Amino acid sequence: HAKTHGGHQCHLFDLASAQQSQLQQTLLKDLLTSIQQNHIKLVYQPQACMQTGDIFCFEALLRWQHPVRGLLYPHDFLASVEHTSLIIDIGYWVIEEGLRQLSIWQKQGFHTQVSVNIAAMHLMHKQFADHITSLLQKYKEIQPQQLHIEITESAAITDFARVNRVIQQCHSLGVSFSIDDFGTGYSSLIYLRRLPVDIIKIDQSFVHNMLTNPEDMAVIRSVITLCREFGRKVIAEGVEKAEQARILRALGCDFAQGYGIARAMSSDKVVEWVSKHSPYQFD
Ligand code: C2E
Ligand code: MG
Ligand code: MG
Ligand code: MG
């Protein structure tokens, strides 16, 4: 397209995109080094059962302590990585780190589950199930049921047959799955219809507006009904207010996660937090 705008513009365009890809190259190189040097870490956000208040799981969220730029959030760096094979390296790192953390907590007498975010693209990787199998063998003290995988979109799933097979293989180990950010982007009805996942995570945008926007409330009500008919559990993300939690619970939402319960915290804060807050009192 740039060519049709003439030589000058074409030059600017090329320069801009060259700078862009240079920046991206630097970022990717930095990230690779940071993985090797342990400058990336996971923080943990609790998920609560709405009926019992039980804090049954922690979602692992990625943070990058960048040597120059300071603490970075996934939003600051994942987009550049999502379409490269580095997203696969990160995914395996995240799973292993989650298992390692579960193992540390377990040694401290704290038994829980960890939910990790894995790009849909990564699930199309041939060795995924084998890799999970060997990680679970390495961390024998962890039950596969303690590991949960959130399918996070970055690109649409193109090969449903393969992803289905991978999910089934992992299911047979005892690992469970959810669809993240349900209702947005690619993560729509076709995923619910075609992937044998256990849990649907209602995107936080619907939850944020449910008290003021009747259409968002209608989406939430419908997704909960739909999931019940499909035999899937539902978790609402982005629950910040007691009123949101009250309504979600009344609608039959199974689980909740959000700043209203707690923000993501570093692993060394988790055990103390749980001892103070579990079972969680929603009202
Ligand atoms: P997500 O998986 O949907 O995670 C929820 C995001 O919403 C997290 O942001 C979390 O801190 C934030 N959040 C939780 N509760 C609330 C709330 O009540 N209000 C508001 N406003 N926000 C809330 P975070 O940690 O910045 O992660 C953003 C996204 O980055 C994640 O969305 C996920 O898609 C992606 N991500 C995070 N960690 C990983 C990872 O290890 N691998 C991959 N592939 N993606 C990751
Ligand atoms: Mg998630
Ligand atoms: Mg989400
Ligand atoms: Mg999200």
Side-chain angles (χ1 to χ4, degrees), residues 12-258:
L12 281 181
F13 175 84
D14 287 348
L15 192 65
S17 68
Q19 277 174 348
Q20 264 277 314
S21 75
Q22 181 106 60
L23 265 176
Q24 174 155 338
Q25 287 307 314
T26 312
L27 185 99
L28 291 182
K29 259 213 335 272
D30 283 1
L31 188 51
L32 201 59
T33 320
S34 288
I35 296 174
Q36 287 152 359
Q37 299 182 345
N38 269 323
H39 289 159
I40 62 171
K41 64 165 188 171
L42 296 175
V43 292
Y44 295 88
Q45 188 178 33
Q47 300 178 335
C49 172
M50 298 209 86
Q51 285 308 315
T52 63
D54 182 34
I55 303 291
F56 69 102
C57 186
F58 283 81
E59 180 175 3
L61 295 159
L62 198 56
R63 298 290 180 264
W64 180 8
Q65 191 62 54
H66 191 282
V68 180
R69 293 164 67 194
L71 183 66
L72 300 183
Y73 286 74
H75 173 77
D76 304 317
F77 61 92
L78 274 189
S80 313
V81 176
E82 268 168 354
H83 299 277
T84 74
S85 63
L86 201 54
I87 194 69
I88 292 175
D89 300 315
I90 291 176
Y92 288 139
W93 182 89
V94 166
I95 294 168
E96 172 146 23
E97 178 61 16
L99 291 172
R100 198 183 67 85
Q101 188 57 58
L102 277 170
S103 164
I104 292 173
W105 281 332
Q106 217 143 274
K107 285 189 192 105
Q108 300 170 351
F110 175 53
H111 191 90
T112 190
Q113 301 175 20
V114 161
S115 188
V116 296
N117 291 281
I118 295 298
M121 189 189 119
H122 188 172
L123 291 179
M124 292 186 264
H125 190 232
K126 274 202 197 68
Q127 284 89 41
F128 189 82
D130 290 343
H131 207 110
I132 298 285
T133 307
S134 61
L135 283 174
L136 286 167
Q137 267 157 10
K138 181 170 173 189
Y139 294 88
K140 279 200 196 62
E141 63 280 24
I142 305 305
Q143 306 281 302
Q145 288 75 12
Q146 290 173 263
L147 177 64
H148 185 87
I149 293 172
E150 300 187 8
I151 304 176
T152 299
E153 73 172 13
S154 53
I157 291 177
T158 47
D159 190 344
F160 277 95
R162 169 173 284 176
V163 174
N164 249 295
R165 210 153 46 234
V166 168
I167 293 177
Q168 275 160 20
Q169 285 169 317
C170 293
H171 266 165
S172 69
L173 299 169
V175 176
S176 54
F177 287 82
S178 61
I179 298 175
D180 207 348
D181 301 340
F182 187 78
T184 65
Y186 303 110
S187 304
S188 59
L189 288 177
I190 198 75
Y191 281 25
L192 174 64
R193 177 76 182 78
R194 298 194 54 188
L195 298 177
V197 299
D198 309 276
I199 304 182
I200 297 300
K201 297 193 79 174
I202 301 180
D203 188 68
Q204 48 181 284
S205 59
F206 301 111
V207 177
H208 288 161
N209 299 324
M210 63 182 278
L211 299 178
T212 50
N213 187 332
E215 284 157 355
D216 286 319
M217 182 75 96
V219 169
I220 288 177
R221 212 184 301 117
S222 308
V223 170
I224 292 171
T225 306
L226 197 61
C227 286
R228 198 175 294 129
E229 292 192 20
F230 274 75
R232 317 297 175 87
K233 300 278 191 207
V234 187
I235 171 160
E237 340 181 271
V239 178
E240 296 180 353
K241 301 184 175 117
E243 181 67 357
Q244 291 165 336
R246 195 186 60 73
I247 294 170
L248 285 161
R249 184 164 57 176
L251 290 173
C253 183
D254 300 288
F255 312 115
Q257 177 180 354

